[in-house]
């Protein structure tokens, strides 16, 4: 969930009386609390300033940055109490004191305890993942087609399209689309990466394992 929050630009804020679509207006502070920056003239900000505290729910959807079938990779719902932390200026800074959180991804549906979310750290590639995947998808699919040689033969032969789906410190995930559905295959790196600057070398190592064309 910390990785999702770090890598996603947009989220939906819901209160009992208002709904707001926010883009580029959230961060997670060192204590693991979600911080929102609300336009001071928005209805939700005015309501928050008048009430002091409101019940709130935040919904976050993680989409694959490269166009493909079924782009939703994960969803998170965070519920708690929204409080104005800084009422001054053209924006209102607010924090969400978390009560419950839930994450839905390829592994299923799981609750996330507030203390676990506070203690967690995002994947070191989270903030750069979208740009890195777009580069892989924008080179005419040449790199992706080569990397697909590492996918088991039966899966590769059934695939009509192959896309870069996910990139994290442990490896690259390819989405293989067939006529009837899709399968996701992870290509693991040789080491756990510490930052995006190490990605090119690991992709090069994967390419070196591919059979000559």
């Amino acid at each position: 969930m910390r990785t999702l929050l770090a890598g996603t630009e947009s989220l939906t804020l819901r209160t009992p009386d208002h709904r707001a679509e926010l883009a580029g207006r959230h961060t997670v502070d060192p204590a693991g609390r979600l911080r929102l920056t609300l336009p001071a003239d928005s209805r939700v900000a005015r309501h928050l300033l008048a009430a002091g505290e409101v019940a709130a729910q935040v919904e976050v959807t993680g989409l694959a940055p490269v166009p493909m079938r079924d782009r939703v990779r994960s969803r998170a719902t965070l519920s708690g109490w929204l409080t104005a932390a800084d009422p001054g200026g053209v924006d209102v800074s607010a924090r969400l004191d978390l009560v419950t959180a839930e994450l839905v991804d390829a592994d299923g549906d799981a609750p996330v305890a507030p203390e676990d979310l506070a203690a967690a750290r995002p994947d070191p590639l989270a903030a750069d993942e979208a740009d890195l995947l777009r580069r892989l998808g924008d080179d005419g699919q040449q790199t992706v087609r080569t990397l697909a040689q590492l996918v088991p033969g039966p899966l590769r032969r059934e695939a009509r399209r192959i896309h870069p789906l996910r990139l994290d410190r442990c490896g690259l995930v390819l989405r293989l689309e067939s006529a009837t559905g899709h399968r996701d295959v992870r290509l693991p790196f040789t080491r756990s990466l510490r930052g995006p600057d190490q990605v090119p070398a690991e992709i090069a190592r994967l390419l070196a394992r591919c059979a000559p064309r």
Side-chain angles (χ1 to χ4, degrees), residues 84-144:
D86 180 8
V90 297
D91 291 324
V92 174
S93 177
R95 74 170 186 272
L96 182 69
D97 293 319
L98 190 64
V99 176
T100 63
E102 185 176 48
L103 179 68
V104 179
D105 61 14
D107 295 324
D109 184 344
V112 179
E115 58 270 22
D116 291 338
L117 183 62
R121 294 295 177 266
D123 186 270
L125 304 187
D128 299 275
E129 184 204 18
D131 287 338
L132 291 167
L133 288 179
R134 288 190 191 103
R135 290 178 200 171
L136 285 174
D138 287 345
D139 71 347
Q141 294 288 315
Q142 181 58 49
T143 300
V144 172

Side-chain angles (χ1 to χ4, degrees), residues 156-212:
R156 189 173 66 250
R157 287 189 290 271
E158 291 176 3
R160 293 185 173 182
R161 296 289 302 271
I162 302 176
H163 308 279
L165 173 69
R166 187 184 300 278
L167 183 65
D168 56 38
R169 67 185 182 276
C170 297
L172 171 68
V173 178
L174 299 180
R175 163 70 54 84
L176 286 78
E177 294 181 353
S178 67
T180 57
H182 63 260
R183 292 283 298 274
D184 300 335
V185 177
R186 175 174 286 275
L187 306 180
F189 293 148
T190 60
R191 54 178 174 164
S192 179
L193 305 190
R194 298 187 302 274
D197 58 310
Q198 297 181 322
V199 170
E202 285 304 313
I203 294 295
R205 289 188 177 95
L206 288 175
L207 291 169
R209 292 169 48 202
C210 298

Side-chain angles (χ1 to χ4, degrees), residues 28-133:
V28 179
D29 67 20
R33 290 175 300 196
L34 184 64
R35 299 272 181 168
L36 304 176
T37 303
L38 308 174
D41 60 352
S42 64
R43 290 187 299 169
V44 66
R46 292 197 301 268
H47 181 204
L48 177 60
L49 290 174
E53 183 181 68
V54 297
Q57 184 178 81
V58 172
E59 298 171 352
V60 186
T61 301
L63 298 176
V66 178
M68 66 182 70
R69 181 192 302 165
D70 190 9
R71 290 180 62 195
V72 176
R73 303 187 303 184
S74 57
R75 298 182 189 272
T77 304
L78 301 89
S79 301
W81 294 95
L82 192 65
T83 304
D86 180 8
V90 297
D91 291 324
V92 174
S93 177
R95 74 170 186 272
L96 182 69
D97 293 319
L98 190 64
V99 176
T100 63
E102 185 176 48
L103 179 68
V104 179
D105 61 14
D107 295 324
D109 184 344
V112 179
E115 58 270 22
D116 291 338
L117 183 62
R121 294 295 177 266
D123 186 270
L125 304 187
D128 299 275
E129 184 204 18
D131 287 338
L132 291 167
L133 288 179

